[in-house]
Amino acid sequence: MLIGGSSAINVIFSIVRNKAMAILLGPEGIGVMALYNSIVDISQTVAGVGISASGVRQIAAVSSEETGRIAEVAAVLRRVSILLGVAGAALLLMLSAPVAQLTFGNSQYTLGVMVLSLAVAFQVAAGGRVALVQGMRNISGLAWMSVLGGLFSVLIGVPIIYLLGEPGIAISLVAAAIASFATSWWFSRKIEIPRVSLSTRRALQETSALLRLGIIFMASGFLTMGSAYAIRLIVSSESGLHAAGLYQAAWSLGGLYAGFILQAMGTDFYPRLTAVAQDNEECNRLVNEQTEISILLAGPGLIATLTLAPAIMALFYSSAFQGAVDILRWICLGMMLRIVAWPIGFIVLAKGAKAIFFWSEVAAAIVHVGLAWLCVPAFGAAGAGFAFFGLYVWHSVLMYFVARRFTEFRWSPANRKLIAAYLPVSTLVFAAFQFLPLWQATTLGLVVAILVGLLSLRMVASLLPQHTLPKAIRPLLESMRSV
C-alpha cells in the first residue's frame, strides 16, 4: 500500500506532465521526446551492464544480519555504477552524430543527443544506489524516491519546455536524471551499514559477481528497450514524427494504470521471491497471490480505459491526439495479458536461470518488432498497438510453460476463474467498439467496468485483514464482503 500510494501520486504527476507537454509540444514534439527517451534508455541499459538489477538480487539473497557482506556489495555498486555512468556518457557523446542520423534521419538533433549523455551518466550512477535501497527492502525510501522523482519531473521539466520549447526536451531529461541521482543518494546514505575497506582482489570478486548476472539483465533490458526503439523508428519512418507522438501517447496511457499496479507490487515482490527461490511450493504460492491481486486491481481500470479511450486521450493529452485511440485500445488488450504473465516471469529471475531468461527475451523482441514491421505499413500506427497485443498472446503462453518446468507452477483455482472471466470480458468490450455504434459500445463498456470493479473490490476486501484497512472505509468494505 505504501508503494501503491506513492505510485498513485506519481500517476497524478504524470497526468499533469503529459497534459502540459502535449499542449506545449503537440504530437510531433511528443514524438521527439519519445525517441530521445529511447536513446537514453538504451544507452543507460548498455552502460549500466545490468548491475542495478543484479545488485538487488545479490543484496536480497544475503541475510539482513550479514551487514558486512551487504556493505561490500553496496560499496562496489556505488563505485562501479559511477564509473560505468561516465563511460556510457562518453560513448554516447562520441557516437552522437550517427545516433541522431539513425534516429531522426538527419543531423538536426545531434546537439540534443550530445546533451543526453549527461542524463545517461546520472541515471546509471543513480541505479547503483537505488539497488541498495530496494535490495534492503526500504519500502518507505523507495516510495519517497518515486514521489520526489515525479514531482521534480513536473517542477523542473515543464518550465524548461515552456521557456525553450522543443530544444529544451533534452535539457529537461538531463534535469530529471540529476534529480533522480540526488534523491537516490539521499535515501541510500540513510541505510545503516558499516563502512568497509575492500582490497583490490575482493573488489574485483564482487564486481565480477555483479557483472556475471548483470550482463544477462543488460541483454534483457537492451532487447526490451531496443525493441521499443525499433518500433518507434518503424512508426516514425512510415508515418512521421506525428505518428510517433500518437504511439507514444497511447503507450503512456495504456501502461499508466497497469504500470502503477505492477510497480507498486513488484518493488517488494522480486526481493521476496528471490529469498524463497529454492522452495518451489512457496514460489508458486507467492506468484499466484501476486497474479490474483494484479488481475483484481488492474483489470477494472484497463477495461475502463479501453471504454473511455477518446475522453481519456483528450483529458490527458489534447484533441490533437485522437488518432491514438485505436492504438490505445490494442495496448489495453495487451496489458490484460501482461498482468497475467508478468508475475510468472519473476520465477525465472529468482531461480537465476540465465539462459532461459535471455533466450525468452530474444524471442519476445523478435516477435514484437517482427509484428510491428509487418503491421505498421499495413495498418499505420495502430499496427504497433496490435504488435504489442500479439507479443503478449505469445509471451503469456511461453512463460506459463517455462514456469511449469522450473517449479511445476499451476494457476490456483481462484486465478483460473479470474482469467476465464476477465480476458473474455475485455475482448468483448474491445470487439464492441469494432462492430457496434459508439454509444452502444460505450454503454456496454461502462456497465462491464462497473460490475467488474465491484467484483474486484469485494474480492480484495475479502483478502485483506480488517486491521489493514483504512478506518474511513472499513464499514464500506465490510459490507462488500458480506454481499
Side-chain angles (χ1 to χ4, degrees), residues 418-465:
L418 286 174
I419 293 168
Y422 277 66
L423 295 185
V425 163
S426 303
T427 305
L428 173 65
V429 173
F430 178 87
F433 283 97
Q434 310 304 313
F435 301 107
L436 295 178
L438 180 61
W439 73 269
Q440 292 181 1
T442 302
T443 301
L444 173 64
L446 288 174
V447 170
V448 169
I450 291 170
L451 292 176
V452 167
L454 291 173
L455 174 64
S456 293
L457 183 61
R458 178 179 179 275
M459 295 184 70
V460 170
S462 69
L463 293 172
L464 291 173

Side-chain angles (χ1 to χ4, degrees), residues 266-278:
T267 301
D268 190 49
F269 175 56
Y270 177 39
R272 281 196 298 130
L273 194 65
T274 299
V276 298
Q278 303 309 313

Side-chain angles (χ1 to χ4, degrees), residues 232-353:
R232 288 181 173 91
L233 286 185
I234 291 170
V235 172
S236 62
S237 63
E238 287 289 333
S239 307
L241 287 172
H242 182 277
L246 296 180
Y247 173 71
Q248 177 61 28
W251 177 259
S252 297
L253 288 181
L256 186 65
Y257 182 72
F260 149 61
I261 298 297
L262 298 181
Q263 179 189 358
M265 294 185 296
T267 301
D268 190 49
F269 175 56
Y270 177 39
R272 281 196 298 130
L273 194 65
T274 299
V276 298
Q278 303 309 313
D279 186 339
N280 288 346
E281 184 176 347
E282 184 66 7
C283 267
N284 293 341
R285 185 188 68 80
L286 287 175
V287 170
N288 268 306
E289 284 182 355
Q290 203 77 9
T291 303
E292 184 174 0
I293 295 296
S294 297
I295 295 172
L296 290 174
L297 295 181
L302 286 172
I303 293 173
T305 302
L306 194 158
T307 301
L308 300 173
I312 290 173
M313 189 61 68
L315 176 65
F316 284 22
Y317 284 86
S318 72
S319 58
F321 288 81
Q322 287 302 303
V325 168
D326 286 341
I327 312 172
L328 176 57
R329 287 186 173 133
W330 277 114
I331 290 175
C332 286
L333 208 58
M335 283 290 176
M336 286 298 299
L337 293 172
R338 185 179 188 177
I339 63 175
V340 173
W342 175 84
I344 304 174
F346 278 92
I347 290 177
V348 180
L349 289 175
K351 290 287 186 180

